[in-house]
Amino acid sequence: MKKVRVRFAPSPTGPLHLGSIRTALYNFLFAKKNKGKFILRIEDTDRSRYKSGAENYIIKSLKWCGLTVDEGPAMKGNYGPYRQSERYEIYKKYIKYLLANDFAYYAFEKKKKKRNYNRKKLDLNISNEKTFKKIINGIVFVIRFKIPKFFGLKIKDFLRGKIIINSLDEKIILKSDGTPTYHLANVIDDHLMKISHVIKGEEWLSSFPINICLYKYFYWITPIFLHLPLILNPLGQGKISKRKILKFPIFPLGWKDKKTSQKYKGYRESGYFPEAFINMLVFLGWNPGGTKEIFSLKNLISIFKIEDINISSAKFNFKKAEWFNCKYFKKKTYKEILFLLKKELKKRNIFYIKIKNILLLKIINFLIKKCSFINEIINQTIYFFKSPDLNEKFFVKKNIKRFHSLIWIFLNEKKFNILNIKTLIQKLDLYKIQKRYSIMQLLRISLVGSLKGLDLFFIISIIGKKESLKRIIKFINYCL
């Protein structure tokens, strides 16, 4: 096998969705398995759909996933520039070659968009002089790829085998604004960057024959093409697309649409570990065989084979994604979870009730078997870290004075012995206020903000005497 060089070539038109990042993952694994190079190329010729911040998002997403780029816009390489918008001068000589060799032609069109373009209706016998005059007079033109004279074009995809093409649409290869289209630019770039394998999504199969024709026109060696199957939504009805936002995350990182100001959560913001995300993603279209499902990125590099990629589309399973994160969550040490817990609390700006590490570890120990995410631990125990917001449905006015006795119980407990406090409160609990809430329930509402939560006296032992009193008084004042 010749030296492996693969590229991930996204367009900066928005965030990467699951299908795009999976394409990057398969390219990365194949390159690293074969001691090759993984190249990032930004295909930004479509300026009408360009989104500010999208390129930076792409780079950050790859970094979060652990997919290290060998060559790209952010680092030096021998085959740059790595943004297509910086390569226009390179494309010009190849367009001239195609025109000079009758592989392409000027098309002076009135309509901007037209499917199944038919050049028979176009006068192709106009002289070079007339063509030049039209260009000088400012008549808008595009340059179109010319269909080969022969039919039955045979092309080969690594997964699908031989494909025979009997008809082709004469696609635009140079737009009226002078920018090349995907069809031309990616072929030239792949050749000049010495790409050995083109691994991309199934949605590009329609342009595959045009790619092959251009390689033939330039007399270049064709790389090996592999078109990955689609990732279908959980119902199996259509592919996962960034144009259709579903109820679960479809982006690796969060994204804010500057035009609409709408925010979308990514897997990172939803509490997923990058290693769990990658492990989940790799199985959407690939399987090494056997029953083992948990693989580190290093493990995946050692076992990955493109022969194991499935030809059929993979249906996304959100529950399975959660299962993967749960597995990686359970592998974390208490020290790692403690670090992540503090980091998340700081991010939420809610860590203003100081709790000692030893007590935080107690909280983690209570919930680690029930949770799959750091967010779940915090969401289920938020009352440890901030005073609860009181709810009108727990509004109690009659006999609230009896609840005052709790203040004296806490104040008179100098050594703050939980067992003593528990005994005293249980004595008070024989009397129910308004025949709705016991003293114990009212205490829970004042400390937690609801009737749910961990053991009440465990909560008191964690937040301490001072914070417990503060919350009880706040609740009494609320009810009066």
Side-chain angles (χ1 to χ4, degrees):
M1 185 189 289
K2 62 180 178 179
K3 188 175 181 181
V4 169
R5 287 178 59 83
V6 298
R7 50 63 163 188
F8 175 53
S11 297
T13 55
L16 297 174
H17 60 75
L18 288 172
S20 298
I21 202 71
R22 184 195 63 174
T23 298
L25 173 61
Y26 286 1
N27 273 282
F28 173 85
L29 293 175
F30 179 67
K32 298 307 168 186
K33 172 67 182 290
N34 294 283
K35 303 193 181 331
K37 297 292 183 183
F38 174 59
I39 296 138
L40 173 64
R41 186 174 73 226
I42 303 298
E43 298 198 338
D44 57 349
T45 56
D46 190 350
R47 304 309 289 179
S48 64
R49 293 177 59 218
Y50 176 83
K51 293 281 180 71
S52 175
E55 182 182 322
N56 191 41
Y57 176 94
I58 290 165
I59 293 168
K60 283 185 175 179
S61 295
L62 293 175
K63 187 177 180 181
W64 182 71
C65 293
L67 308 182
T68 308
V69 173
D70 297 306
E71 298 172 29
M75 66 282 296
K76 292 180 180 179
N78 297 325
Y79 302 93
Y82 293 94
R83 293 185 188 90
Q84 286 187 337
S85 59
E86 298 171 3
R87 297 174 63 84
Y88 290 163
E89 290 301 315
I90 296 172
Y91 304 133
K92 283 181 181 178
K93 69 175 184 178
Y94 295 101
I95 292 167
K96 287 178 181 177
Y97 167 84
L98 292 172
L99 288 167
N101 288 276
D102 201 28
F103 296 139
Y105 58 92
Y106 291 98
F108 300 91
E109 304 169 17
K110 291 181 180 179
K111 292 183 180 180
K112 289 184 179 180
K113 292 182 180 179
K114 196 171 185 179
R115 291 184 179 180
N116 299 320
Y117 183 80
N118 185 358
R119 64 183 164 95
K120 289 181 181 180
K121 295 179 180 179
L122 184 72
D123 182 9
L124 293 179
N125 295 316
I126 59 173
S127 65
N128 289 337
E129 186 181 346
K130 285 183 178 179
T131 299
F132 183 70
K133 277 185 178 180
K134 284 190 174 188
I135 294 170
I136 289 295
N137 290 330
I139 297 176
V140 175
F141 70 88
V142 295
I143 295 176
R144 285 186 178 271
F145 155 85
K146 187 178 280 189
I147 294 173
K149 292 178 182 178
F150 54 86
F151 288 94
L153 177 67
K154 293 179 182 179
I155 58 179
K156 186 179 180 181
D157 177 82
F158 187 86
L159 285 182
R160 293 163 177 78
K162 289 182 181 178
I163 303 169
I164 298 175
I165 306 296
N166 291 313
S167 63
L168 279 176
D169 188 16
E170 296 193 331
K171 298 289 186 182
I172 294 172
I173 56 174
L174 189 76
K175 292 181 277 189
S176 57
D177 63 1
T179 58
T181 62
Y182 163 83
H183 305 293
L184 179 70
N186 88 95
V187 168
I188 294 170
D189 291 341
D190 285 346
H191 172 72
L192 296 180
M193 293 180 182
K194 300 188 184 299
I195 301 302
S196 63
H197 297 71
V198 176
I199 302 172
K200 54 184 175 179
E202 188 179 276
E203 62 270 25
W204 297 109
L205 265 172
S206 60
S207 64
F208 185 24
I210 299 167
N211 296 157
I212 297 300
C213 282
L214 285 169
Y215 275 103
K216 288 181 181 294
Y217 285 168
F218 288 124
Y219 297 99
W220 290 340
I221 296 172
T222 307
I224 294 169
F225 280 81
L226 189 154
H227 292 83
L228 300 171
L230 300 173
I231 298 178
L232 304 176
N233 69 45
L235 298 175
Q237 299 169 347
K239 67 176 182 176
I240 283 178
S241 168
K242 62 185 177 186
R243 291 189 179 92
K244 186 178 180 182
I245 305 301
L246 302 170
K247 291 182 180 179
F248 54 86
I250 63 169
F251 307 136
L253 310 183
W255 171 262
K256 182 180 178 181
D257 191 312
K258 291 182 180 179
K259 191 175 181 180
T260 62
S261 295
Q262 191 168 355
K263 292 181 179 179
Y264 302 103
K265 260 190 177 183
Y267 278 84
R268 181 182 66 180
E269 291 71 27
S270 299
Y272 281 79
F273 301 115
E275 55 268 40
F277 174 72
I278 286 296
N279 202 154
M280 172 274 293
L281 197 61
V282 78
F283 276 95
L284 293 175
W286 171 88
N287 197 307
T291 57
K292 187 179 178 182
E293 292 182 276
I294 303 300
F295 296 97
S296 68
L297 193 57
K298 189 177 179 181
N299 293 150
L300 288 171
I301 290 170
S302 66
I303 65 170
F304 186 80
K305 293 178 184 177
I306 55 173
E307 294 88 348
D308 294 331
I309 295 173
N310 302 319
I311 194 169
S312 56
S313 298
K315 190 187 293 185
F316 180 73
N317 185 332
F318 188 57
K319 291 293 180 185
K320 190 68 175 181
E322 290 181 336
W323 178 86
F324 272 107
N325 206 71
C326 180
K327 291 294 181 183
Y328 279 89
F329 187 78
K330 298 294 187 284
K331 288 170 72 175
K332 299 287 182 186
T333 64
Y334 275 67
K335 190 176 180 180
E336 287 173 319
I337 293 174
L338 182 61
F339 172 78
L340 293 168
L341 183 66
K342 285 185 172 182
K343 187 178 178 180
E344 183 61 28
L345 286 166
K346 189 177 180 181
K347 193 190 297 182
R348 295 196 195 185
N349 294 317
I350 59 173
F351 200 38
Y352 63 82
I353 296 172
K354 300 295 181 183
I355 298 176
K356 292 178 181 179
N357 285 353
I358 192 168
L359 298 177
L360 285 173
L361 286 170
K362 280 188 177 182
I363 296 170
I364 292 168
N365 187 52
F366 258 92
L367 292 169
I368 194 167
K369 291 180 181 178
K370 301 176 183 178
C371 298
S372 304
F373 299 88
I374 293 294
N375 289 344
E376 285 182 322
I377 291 180
I378 296 174
N379 293 340
Q380 291 184 38
T381 61
I382 192 71
Y383 47 81
F384 283 119
F385 310 104
K386 59 180 288 189
S387 181
D389 296 323
L390 298 173
N391 196 315
E392 283 293 332
K393 73 176 182 178
F394 295 124
F395 182 79
V396 179
K397 195 163 186 177
K398 288 183 179 180
N399 299 323
I400 194 64
K401 289 181 180 179
R402 188 172 180 82
F403 194 57
H404 279 71
S405 54
L406 284 172
I407 297 174
W408 301 113
I409 289 173
F410 277 86
L411 287 174
N412 292 329
E413 189 59 45
K414 293 178 182 179
K415 291 184 179 180
F416 198 62
N417 186 300
I418 293 296
L419 187 61
N420 290 345
I421 288 174
K422 186 175 182 178
T423 303
L424 291 167
I425 291 173
Q426 283 174 339
K427 287 180 180 178
L428 281 173
D429 206 25
L430 296 172
Y431 181 82
K432 289 199 173 186
I433 296 175
Q434 291 189 345
K435 298 181 181 180
R436 283 181 63 197
Y437 301 117
S438 65
I439 290 289
M440 198 81 80
Q441 287 174 317
L442 284 175
L443 180 57
R444 180 176 287 281
I445 293 167
S446 65
L447 298 181
V448 176
S450 75
L451 291 171
K452 296 178 181 178
L454 297 177
D455 178 78
L456 185 59
F457 295 99
F458 173 71
I459 295 170
I460 293 169
S461 71
I462 296 292
I463 65 174
K465 176 180 177 180
K466 186 178 179 181
E467 181 61 27
S468 298
L469 267 173
K470 184 180 173 182
R471 295 186 189 187
I472 291 167
I473 294 166
K474 178 184 173 182
F475 179 71
I476 290 171
N477 290 333
Y478 177 80
C479 292
L480 290 177

